[in-house]
Coordinates of all heavy atoms in Angstrom, one line a residue:
M1 N -13.0 13.8 22.7 CA -11.7 13.3 22.2 C -10.7 14.5 22.2 O -11.0 15.6 21.6 CB -11.8 12.8 20.8 CG -10.5 12.4 20.2 SD -10.6 11.8 18.4 CE -11.6 10.4 18.6
A2 N -9.6 14.3 22.8 CA -8.6 15.4 22.8 C -7.9 15.5 21.5 O -7.8 14.6 20.7 CB -7.6 15.1 23.9
A3 N -7.3 16.7 21.2 CA -6.6 16.9 20.0 C -5.4 15.9 19.8 O -5.1 15.4 18.7 CB -6.1 18.3 19.9
D4 N -4.7 15.6 20.9 CA -3.6 14.6 20.9 C -4.1 13.3 20.4 O -3.4 12.5 19.7 CB -2.9 14.5 22.2 CG -2.1 15.8 22.5 OD1 -1.8 16.5 21.6 OD2 -1.8 16.0 23.7
D5 N -5.3 12.8 20.9 CA -5.8 11.6 20.5 C -6.0 11.5 18.9 O -5.8 10.5 18.3 CB -7.2 11.3 21.2 CG -7.0 11.0 22.6 OD1 -5.8 10.7 23.0 OD2 -8.0 11.1 23.4
R6 N -6.5 12.6 18.4 CA -6.8 12.7 17.0 C -5.4 12.6 16.2 O -5.4 11.9 15.2 CB -7.4 14.0 16.6 CG -7.8 14.2 15.2 CD -8.9 13.2 14.8 NE -9.1 13.4 13.4 CZ -9.5 12.4 12.6 NH1 -9.8 11.3 13.1 NH2 -9.6 12.6 11.3
L7 N -4.4 13.2 16.7 CA -3.1 13.0 16.0 C -2.6 11.6 16.0 O -2.1 11.1 15.0 CB -2.0 13.9 16.7 CG -2.2 15.4 16.5 CD1 -1.2 16.2 17.3 CD2 -2.2 15.8 15.0
D8 N -2.8 10.9 17.1 CA -2.4 9.5 17.2 C -3.3 8.7 16.2 O -2.7 7.8 15.6 CB -2.6 8.9 18.6 CG -1.7 9.5 19.6 OD1 -0.6 10.0 19.2 OD2 -2.0 9.5 20.8
D9 N -4.5 9.0 16.1 CA -5.4 8.3 15.2 C -4.9 8.5 13.7 O -4.9 7.5 13.0 CB -6.9 8.8 15.3 CG -7.5 8.3 16.5 OD1 -7.0 7.4 17.2 OD2 -8.6 8.8 16.8
D10 N -4.6 9.7 13.4 CA -4.1 10.0 12.1 C -2.8 9.3 11.8 O -2.6 8.8 10.7 CB -3.9 11.5 11.9 CG -5.2 12.3 11.9 OD1 -6.2 11.7 11.7 OD2 -5.1 13.5 12.0
E11 N -1.9 9.2 12.8 CA -0.6 8.5 12.6 C -0.8 7.0 12.4 O -0.3 6.4 11.5 CB 0.3 8.8 13.8 CG 1.6 8.0 13.7 CD 2.5 8.5 12.6 OE1 2.3 9.6 12.1 OE2 3.5 7.7 12.3
L12 N -1.7 6.4 13.2 CA -2.0 5.0 13.0 C -2.7 4.8 11.7 O -2.3 3.8 11.0 CB -2.9 4.5 14.2 CG -3.3 3.1 14.1 CD1 -2.1 2.2 14.2 CD2 -4.3 2.7 15.3
A13 N -3.6 5.6 11.3 CA -4.2 5.4 10.0 C -3.2 5.5 8.8 O -3.3 4.7 7.9 CB -5.3 6.5 9.8
R14 N -2.3 6.5 8.9 CA -1.3 6.6 7.9 C -0.4 5.3 7.8 O -0.1 4.8 6.7 CB -0.4 7.8 8.2 CG 0.7 8.0 7.1 CD 1.7 9.1 7.5 NE 2.5 8.7 8.7 CZ 3.4 7.7 8.7 NH1 3.7 7.1 7.6 NH2 4.1 7.5 9.8
R15 N 0.0 4.8 9.0 CA 0.8 3.6 9.0 C 0.1 2.4 8.5 O 0.6 1.6 7.8 CB 1.3 3.4 10.4 CG 2.3 4.5 10.8 CD 2.8 4.3 12.2 NE 3.5 3.1 12.3 CZ 3.4 2.2 13.4 NH1 2.6 2.5 14.4 NH2 4.1 1.1 13.4
L16 N -1.2 2.3 8.8 CA -2.0 1.2 8.3 C -2.2 1.3 6.7 O -2.1 0.3 6.1 CB -3.4 1.2 8.9 CG -3.5 0.7 10.3 CD1 -4.8 1.0 11.0 CD2 -3.2 -0.8 10.4
R17 N -2.3 2.5 6.2 CA -2.4 2.7 4.8 C -1.1 2.2 4.1 O -1.0 1.6 3.1 CB -2.7 4.1 4.4 CG -4.2 4.5 4.5 CD -4.5 5.8 3.9 NE -3.6 6.9 4.3 CZ -3.9 7.7 5.4 NH1 -5.0 7.5 6.1 NH2 -3.0 8.6 5.7
D18 N 0.1 2.6 4.7 CA 1.4 2.3 4.2 C 1.5 0.7 4.2 O 2.1 0.2 3.3 CB 2.5 2.9 5.0 CG 2.6 4.4 4.8 OD1 1.9 4.9 3.8 OD2 3.2 5.1 5.6
A19 N 1.1 0.1 5.3 CA 1.2 -1.3 5.4 C 0.3 -2.0 4.3 O 0.8 -3.0 3.7 CB 0.8 -1.8 6.8
H20 N -0.8 -1.5 4.1 CA -1.7 -2.0 3.0 C -1.0 -1.9 1.7 O -1.1 -2.9 0.9 CB -3.0 -1.2 3.0 CG -4.0 -1.7 2.0 ND1 -4.1 -1.1 0.7 CD2 -4.8 -2.8 1.9 CE1 -4.9 -1.7 0.0 NE2 -5.4 -2.7 0.7
R21 N -0.4 -0.8 1.4 CA 0.3 -0.7 0.1 C 1.4 -1.7 0.0 O 1.6 -2.3 -1.1 CB 0.9 0.7 -0.1 CG -0.2 1.8 -0.3 CD 0.5 3.1 -0.5 NE -0.6 4.1 -0.5 CZ -0.7 5.1 0.4 NH1 0.2 5.1 1.4 NH2 -1.7 5.9 0.4
R22 N 2.1 -1.9 1.0 CA 3.2 -2.9 1.0 C 2.7 -4.3 0.8 O 3.3 -5.1 0.0 CB 4.0 -2.8 2.3 CG 4.8 -1.5 2.3 CD 5.7 -1.5 3.6 NE 6.7 -2.5 3.5 CZ 7.5 -2.8 4.5 NH1 7.5 -2.0 5.6 NH2 8.4 -3.7 4.4
V23 N 1.6 -4.7 1.5 CA 1.1 -6.0 1.4 C 0.5 -6.2 0.0 O 0.7 -7.3 -0.7 CB 0.0 -6.3 2.4 CG1 -0.8 -7.5 2.2 CG2 0.6 -6.3 3.8
R24 N -0.2 -5.2 -0.6 CA -0.8 -5.3 -1.9 C 0.2 -5.5 -3.0 O 0.0 -6.2 -4.0 CB -1.6 -4.0 -2.2 CG -2.4 -4.0 -3.4 CD -3.1 -2.7 -3.6 NE -2.2 -1.7 -3.6 CZ -2.5 -0.4 -3.3 NH1 -3.7 -0.1 -3.0 NH2 -1.6 0.5 -3.4
M25 N 1.5 -5.1 -2.8 CA 2.5 -5.2 -3.8 C 3.2 -6.6 -3.8 O 4.0 -6.9 -4.6 CB 3.5 -4.1 -3.7 CG 2.9 -2.7 -4.0 SD 4.0 -1.3 -3.8 CE 5.6 -1.9 -3.5
L26 N 2.9 -7.4 -2.8 CA 3.6 -8.7 -2.6 C 3.1 -9.7 -3.6 O 2.0 -9.6 -4.1 CB 3.4 -9.2 -1.2 CG 4.0 -8.5 -0.1 CD1 3.6 -9.0 1.3 CD2 5.6 -8.5 -0.2
P27 N 3.9 -10.7 -4.0 CA 3.4 -11.8 -4.8 C 2.2 -12.5 -4.2 O 2.1 -12.5 -2.9 CB 4.6 -12.7 -4.9 CG 5.8 -12.0 -4.5 CD 5.3 -10.9 -3.6
A28 N 1.4 -13.0 -5.0 CA 0.1 -13.6 -4.5 C 0.3 -14.7 -3.4 O -0.4 -14.8 -2.5 CB -0.7 -14.2 -5.6
D29 N 1.4 -15.5 -3.6 CA 1.6 -16.6 -2.6 C 2.0 -16.1 -1.2 O 1.7 -16.7 -0.2 CB 2.7 -17.5 -3.1 CG 4.0 -16.9 -3.4 OD1 4.0 -15.7 -3.7 OD2 5.1 -17.5 -3.2
R30 N 2.5 -14.9 -1.1 CA 2.8 -14.3 0.2 C 1.8 -13.4 0.7 O 1.6 -13.2 1.9 CB 4.2 -13.6 0.1 CG 5.3 -14.4 -0.2 CD 6.6 -13.6 -0.3 NE 7.7 -14.5 -0.6 CZ 8.9 -14.0 -0.9 NH1 9.1 -12.7 -1.0 NH2 9.9 -14.8 -1.2
R31 N 1.0 -12.8 -0.3 CA 0.1 -11.8 0.1 C -1.1 -12.3 0.9 O -1.6 -11.6 1.8 CB -0.4 -11.1 -1.2 CG -1.4 -10.0 -1.0 CD -1.8 -9.3 -2.3 NE -2.2 -10.2 -3.3 CZ -1.7 -10.3 -4.6 NH1 -0.8 -9.4 -4.9 NH2 -2.1 -11.1 -5.4
E32 N -1.6 -13.5 0.6 CA -2.9 -13.9 1.2 C -2.7 -14.0 2.7 O -3.5 -13.5 3.5 CB -3.3 -15.3 0.6 CG -4.6 -15.8 1.2 CD -5.0 -17.1 0.5 OE1 -4.5 -17.4 -0.5 OE2 -5.9 -17.7 1.1
R33 N -1.7 -14.7 3.2 CA -1.5 -14.9 4.6 C -1.3 -13.5 5.3 O -1.8 -13.2 6.4 CB -0.3 -15.8 4.9 CG -0.1 -16.1 6.4 CD 1.1 -17.0 6.6 NE 2.4 -16.5 6.0 CZ 3.2 -15.6 6.5 NH1 2.9 -15.1 7.7 NH2 4.3 -15.3 5.9
L34 N -0.4 -12.7 4.7 CA -0.1 -11.4 5.3 C -1.3 -10.5 5.3 O -1.5 -9.6 6.2 CB 1.1 -10.8 4.6 CG 2.4 -11.5 4.9 CD1 3.5 -11.0 4.0 CD2 2.8 -11.4 6.4
A35 N -2.2 -10.6 4.3 CA -3.4 -9.8 4.2 C -4.3 -10.1 5.3 O -4.9 -9.2 5.9 CB -4.1 -9.9 2.8
R36 N -4.4 -11.4 5.7 CA -5.3 -11.8 6.8 C -4.8 -11.2 8.1 O -5.5 -10.7 8.9 CB -5.4 -13.3 6.9 CG -6.3 -13.9 5.8 CD -6.7 -15.3 6.1 NE -5.5 -16.2 6.2 CZ -5.0 -16.9 5.2 NH1 -5.6 -16.9 4.1 NH2 -3.9 -17.6 5.4
R37 N -3.5 -11.2 8.3 CA -2.8 -10.7 9.5 C -3.1 -9.2 9.5 O -3.4 -8.6 10.6 CB -1.3 -11.0 9.5 CG -0.6 -10.6 10.7 CD 0.8 -11.2 10.7 NE 1.5 -10.5 11.8 CZ 2.8 -10.6 11.9 NH1 3.6 -11.2 11.0 NH2 3.4 -10.0 12.9
Y38 N -2.9 -8.5 8.4 CA -3.1 -7.1 8.3 C -4.6 -6.7 8.7 O -4.8 -5.8 9.4 CB -2.8 -6.6 6.9 CG -3.3 -5.2 6.6 CD1 -2.6 -4.1 7.1 CD2 -4.4 -4.9 5.9 CE1 -3.0 -2.8 6.9 CE2 -4.9 -3.7 5.7 CZ -4.2 -2.6 6.2 OH -4.6 -1.3 6.0
L39 N -5.5 -7.5 8.1 CA -6.9 -7.2 8.5 C -7.2 -7.4 9.9 O -8.1 -6.7 10.5 CB -7.9 -8.1 7.6 CG -7.9 -7.7 6.1 CD1 -8.7 -8.8 5.4 CD2 -8.5 -6.4 5.9
A40 N -6.6 -8.4 10.6 CA -6.8 -8.6 12.0 C -6.3 -7.3 12.8 O -6.9 -6.9 13.8 CB -6.0 -9.8 12.5
I41 N -5.2 -6.7 12.3 CA -4.7 -5.5 13.0 C -5.6 -4.4 12.8 O -5.9 -3.6 13.7 CB -3.3 -5.2 12.4 CG1 -2.3 -6.3 12.8 CG2 -2.8 -3.8 12.9 CD1 -0.9 -6.2 12.1
C42 N -6.2 -4.3 11.6 CA -7.2 -3.2 11.3 C -8.4 -3.4 12.2 O -8.9 -2.4 12.7 CB -7.6 -3.2 9.8 SG -6.3 -2.7 8.7
D43 N -8.9 -4.6 12.4 CA -10.0 -4.8 13.2 C -9.7 -4.5 14.7 O -10.5 -3.9 15.4 CB -10.4 -6.3 13.1 CG -11.8 -6.6 13.8 OD1 -12.7 -5.8 13.5 OD2 -11.8 -7.5 14.6
L44 N -8.5 -4.8 15.1 CA -8.1 -4.5 16.5 C -8.0 -3.0 16.7 O -8.4 -2.5 17.8 CB -6.7 -5.1 16.8 CG -6.2 -4.9 18.2 CD1 -7.1 -5.4 19.3 CD2 -4.8 -5.5 18.3
A45 N -7.6 -2.2 15.7 CA -7.5 -0.8 15.8 C -8.8 -0.1 16.1 O -8.9 1.0 16.6 CB -6.9 -0.2 14.5
K46 N -9.9 -0.8 15.7 CA -11.3 -0.2 16.0 C -11.6 -0.2 17.5 O -12.4 0.6 18.0 CB -12.3 -1.0 15.3 CG -12.3 -1.0 13.8 CD -13.3 -1.9 13.2 CE -13.1 -2.0 11.7 NZ -14.0 -3.0 11.1
H47 N -10.9 -1.1 18.2 CA -11.2 -1.3 19.7 C -10.1 -0.9 20.6 O -10.3 -0.5 21.7 CB -11.6 -2.8 19.9 CG -12.6 -3.3 19.0 ND1 -14.0 -2.9 19.1 CD2 -12.6 -4.1 17.9 CE1 -14.7 -3.5 18.1 NE2 -13.8 -4.2 17.4
D48 N -8.8 -1.1 20.2 CA -7.7 -0.9 21.0 C -6.5 -0.4 20.2 O -5.7 -1.2 19.6 CB -7.3 -2.2 21.7 CG -6.2 -2.1 22.8 OD1 -5.6 -1.0 22.8 OD2 -6.0 -3.0 23.5
R49 N -6.5 0.9 20.0 CA -5.5 1.6 19.1 C -4.1 1.3 19.6 O -3.2 1.0 18.8 CB -5.7 3.1 19.1 CG -7.0 3.4 18.3 CD -7.0 4.9 18.2 NE -6.7 5.7 19.3 CZ -7.6 6.3 20.2 NH1 -8.8 6.2 19.9 NH2 -7.2 6.9 21.2
E50 N -3.8 1.3 20.9 CA -2.5 1.1 21.4 C -2.0 -0.3 21.1 O -0.8 -0.5 20.6 CB -2.5 1.3 22.9 CG -1.1 1.3 23.5 CD -1.1 1.7 25.0 OE1 -1.8 2.6 25.4 OE2 -0.4 1.0 25.7
R51 N -2.8 -1.3 21.3 CA -2.4 -2.7 21.0 C -2.2 -2.9 19.5 O -1.3 -3.6 19.1 CB -3.4 -3.6 21.6 CG -3.0 -5.0 21.6 CD -3.8 -5.9 22.5 NE -3.5 -7.3 22.2 CZ -4.4 -8.2 22.1 NH1 -5.7 -8.0 22.4 NH2 -4.1 -9.5 21.9
A52 N -3.1 -2.3 18.8 CA -3.0 -2.4 17.3 C -1.7 -1.8 16.8 O -1.1 -2.3 15.9 CB -4.2 -1.7 16.6
A53 N -1.3 -0.6 17.4 CA -0.1 0.0 17.0 C 1.1 -0.9 17.3 O 2.1 -1.0 16.5 CB 0.1 1.4 17.7
M54 N 1.1 -1.6 18.4 CA 2.2 -2.5 18.8 C 2.2 -3.7 17.8 O 3.3 -4.1 17.3 CB 2.0 -3.0 20.2 CG 2.3 -1.9 21.2 SD 2.4 -2.5 22.9 CE 0.8 -3.3 23.1
R55 N 1.1 -4.2 17.5 CA 1.0 -5.3 16.5 C 1.4 -4.9 15.1 O 2.1 -5.6 14.4 CB -0.4 -5.9 16.5 CG -0.6 -6.7 17.7 CD -1.9 -7.5 17.7 NE -1.9 -8.5 16.6 CZ -3.0 -9.2 16.2 NH1 -4.1 -9.0 16.7 NH2 -2.9 -10.1 15.2
L56 N 1.1 -3.6 14.8 CA 1.5 -3.1 13.5 C 3.0 -3.0 13.4 O 3.6 -3.3 12.4 CB 0.8 -1.8 13.2 CG 1.1 -1.1 11.9 CD1 0.7 -2.0 10.7 CD2 0.4 0.2 11.8
D57 N 3.6 -2.5 14.5 CA 5.1 -2.4 14.5 C 5.7 -3.7 14.3 O 6.7 -3.8 13.5 CB 5.5 -1.9 15.9 CG 5.2 -0.4 16.1 OD1 5.0 0.3 15.2 OD2 5.2 0.0 17.3
A58 N 5.2 -4.8 14.9 CA 5.8 -6.1 14.8 C 5.6 -6.6 13.3 O 6.4 -7.2 12.7 CB 5.2 -7.1 15.8
F59 N 4.4 -6.3 12.8 CA 4.0 -6.7 11.4 C 5.0 -6.1 10.4 O 5.5 -6.7 9.5 CB 2.6 -6.3 11.1 CG 2.1 -6.6 9.8 CD1 1.8 -8.0 9.4 CD2 1.9 -5.6 8.8 CE1 1.4 -8.3 8.1 CE2 1.5 -5.9 7.6 CZ 1.2 -7.3 7.2
L60 N 5.2 -4.8 10.6 CA 6.1 -4.1 9.7 C 7.6 -4.5 9.8 O 8.3 -4.6 8.8 CB 6.0 -2.5 9.9 CG 4.7 -1.9 9.5 CD1 4.6 -0.5 9.9 CD2 4.4 -2.1 8.0
R61 N 8.0 -4.8 11.0 CA 9.3 -5.4 11.2 C 9.5 -6.7 10.5 O 10.5 -7.0 9.8 CB 9.7 -5.6 12.7 CG 10.2 -4.3 13.3 CD 10.8 -4.6 14.7 NE 9.9 -5.3 15.6 CZ 9.0 -4.8 16.4 NH1 8.8 -3.5 16.4 NH2 8.3 -5.5 17.2
A62 N 8.4 -7.5 10.6 CA 8.5 -8.8 9.9 C 8.5 -8.7 8.4 O 9.2 -9.4 7.7 CB 7.3 -9.7 10.3
L63 N 7.8 -7.7 7.9 CA 7.8 -7.4 6.5 C 9.2 -7.0 6.0 O 9.7 -7.4 5.0 CB 6.8 -6.3 6.1 CG 5.4 -6.8 5.8 CD1 4.5 -5.5 5.5 CD2 5.3 -7.8 4.7
D64 N 9.8 -6.1 6.8 CA 11.2 -5.6 6.5 C 12.2 -6.8 6.5 O 13.1 -6.8 5.7 CB 11.6 -4.5 7.5 CG 10.9 -3.3 7.3 OD1 10.3 -3.0 6.2 OD2 10.8 -2.5 8.3
E65 N 12.1 -7.7 7.5 CA 13.1 -8.7 7.6 C 12.9 -9.9 6.6 O 13.8 -10.4 6.1 CB 13.0 -9.3 9.0 CG 13.5 -8.4 10.1 CD 13.2 -8.8 11.5 OE1 12.6 -10.0 11.7 OE2 13.5 -8.1 12.4
A66 N 11.6 -10.2 6.3 CA 11.3 -11.3 5.5 C 11.4 -11.1 4.0 O 11.7 -12.0 3.2 CB 10.0 -11.9 5.9
F67 N 11.1 -9.9 3.6 CA 11.0 -9.6 2.2 C 11.9 -8.4 1.8 O 11.8 -7.4 2.4 CB 9.5 -9.3 1.8 CG 8.6 -10.3 2.2 CD1 7.7 -10.1 3.3 CD2 8.6 -11.6 1.6 CE1 6.8 -11.1 3.7 CE2 7.7 -12.6 2.0 CZ 6.8 -12.3 3.1
D68 N 12.7 -8.7 0.8 CA 13.5 -7.6 0.3 C 12.9 -7.2 -1.1 O 12.2 -8.0 -1.7 CB 15.0 -8.1 0.1 CG 15.9 -7.0 -0.1 OD1 15.5 -5.8 -0.1 OD2 17.1 -7.3 -0.4
T69 N 13.3 -6.1 -1.6 CA 12.8 -5.7 -2.9 C 13.4 -6.6 -3.9 O 14.6 -6.8 -4.0 CB 13.2 -4.2 -3.2 OG1 12.7 -3.4 -2.1 CG2 12.7 -3.8 -4.5
P70 N 12.6 -7.2 -4.8 CA 13.1 -8.1 -5.8 C 14.0 -7.3 -6.8 O 13.8 -6.2 -7.1 CB 11.9 -8.6 -6.5 CG 10.7 -8.1 -5.9 CD 11.1 -7.1 -4.8
R71 N 15.1 -8.0 -7.2 CA 16.0 -7.4 -8.1 C 15.8 -7.9 -9.5 O 15.7 -9.1 -9.7 CB 17.4 -7.7 -7.6 CG 18.5 -7.0 -8.5 CD 19.9 -7.3 -8.0 NE 20.3 -8.6 -8.1 CZ 20.9 -9.1 -9.2 NH1 21.0 -8.4 -10.3 NH2 21.2 -10.4 -9.3
S72 N 15.7 -7.0 -10.4 CA 15.5 -7.4 -11.8 C 16.8 -8.0 -12.3 O 17.9 -7.6 -11.9 CB 15.1 -6.2 -12.7 OG 15.1 -6.6 -14.0
E73 N 16.8 -9.0 -13.1 CA 18.0 -9.6 -13.7 C 18.8 -8.6 -14.5 O 20.0 -8.8 -14.6 CB 17.6 -10.8 -14.5 CG 17.0 -12.0 -13.7 CD 17.9 -12.5 -12.6 OE1 19.1 -12.6 -12.8 OE2 17.4 -12.7 -11.5
E74 N 18.2 -7.6 -15.0 CA 19.0 -6.7 -15.8 C 19.8 -5.7 -15.0 O 20.7 -5.1 -15.4 CB 18.1 -5.8 -16.7 CG 17.3 -6.6 -17.7 CD 15.9 -6.8 -17.2 OE1 15.3 -6.0 -16.6 OE2 15.4 -8.0 -17.5
N75 N 19.4 -5.5 -13.8 CA 20.1 -4.6 -12.9 C 21.3 -5.2 -12.2 O 21.2 -6.3 -11.6 CB 19.2 -4.1 -11.8 CG 18.0 -3.2 -12.3 OD1 18.1 -2.7 -13.4 ND2 17.0 -3.2 -11.5
P76 N 22.4 -4.6 -12.3 CA 23.6 -5.1 -11.6 C 23.5 -5.0 -10.1 O 22.7 -4.1 -9.7 CB 24.8 -4.3 -12.2 CG 24.1 -3.0 -12.6 CD 22.7 -3.4 -13.1
L77 N 24.2 -5.8 -9.4 CA 24.2 -5.6 -7.9 C 24.5 -4.2 -7.5 O 25.4 -3.6 -8.2 CB 25.1 -6.6 -7.3 CG 24.7 -8.1 -7.4 CD1 25.8 -9.0 -6.8 CD2 23.4 -8.3 -6.6
G78 N 23.9 -3.7 -6.5 CA 24.1 -2.3 -6.1 C 23.2 -1.3 -6.6 O 23.1 -0.2 -6.2
D79 N 22.4 -1.7 -7.6 CA 21.4 -0.7 -8.2 C 20.1 -0.9 -7.5 O 19.7 -1.9 -7.1 CB 21.2 -0.9 -9.7 CG 22.3 -0.3 -10.5 OD1 23.2 0.4 -9.9 OD2 22.3 -0.5 -11.7

């Protein structure tokens, strides 16, 4: 394994951990479906890192678009 491959592995692993944290923080009704999708990406990463990275990109984009940080009722808009 070349040193560059190891760096790619570390980057993918870091991004997968970040995605896991984001999924774990979602409400239960949204978390279950997305957790299954996340696990499928993790499984793919064992066999095809490049394809898993592309699917992870799409997964993270979908998370960014579909879910915004919930706003507490006490916080005024803009906070």
Side-chain angles (χ1 to χ4, degrees):
M1 177 186 293
D4 290 339
D5 290 342
R6 181 69 183 151
L7 290 176
D8 291 341
D9 288 347
D10 290 345
E11 177 67 16
L12 180 59
R14 183 192 61 76
R15 293 178 62 224
L16 285 168
R17 281 192 307 271
D18 291 344
H20 178 262
R21 287 183 191 112
R22 290 182 64 185
V23 169
R24 188 179 56 203
M25 292 177 11
L26 293 172
D29 59 331
R30 296 178 179 169
R31 183 175 50 231
E32 185 177 344
R33 181 181 55 84
L34 292 171
R36 284 193 301 264
R37 187 172 168 196
Y38 168 77
L39 289 174
I41 295 169
C42 290
D43 189 50
L44 180 61
K46 296 173 188 176
H47 309 286
D48 189 346
R49 291 187 316 256
E50 186 174 317
R51 189 165 169 221
M54 289 188 301
R55 288 188 62 191
L56 181 59
D57 288 339
F59 179 74
L60 292 173
R61 276 194 307 273
L63 277 178
D64 289 339
E65 292 170 3
F67 306 109
D68 193 8
T69 305
R71 182 177 70 85
S72 173
E73 292 303 318
E74 299 96 40
N75 294 339
L77 289 175
D79 280 357

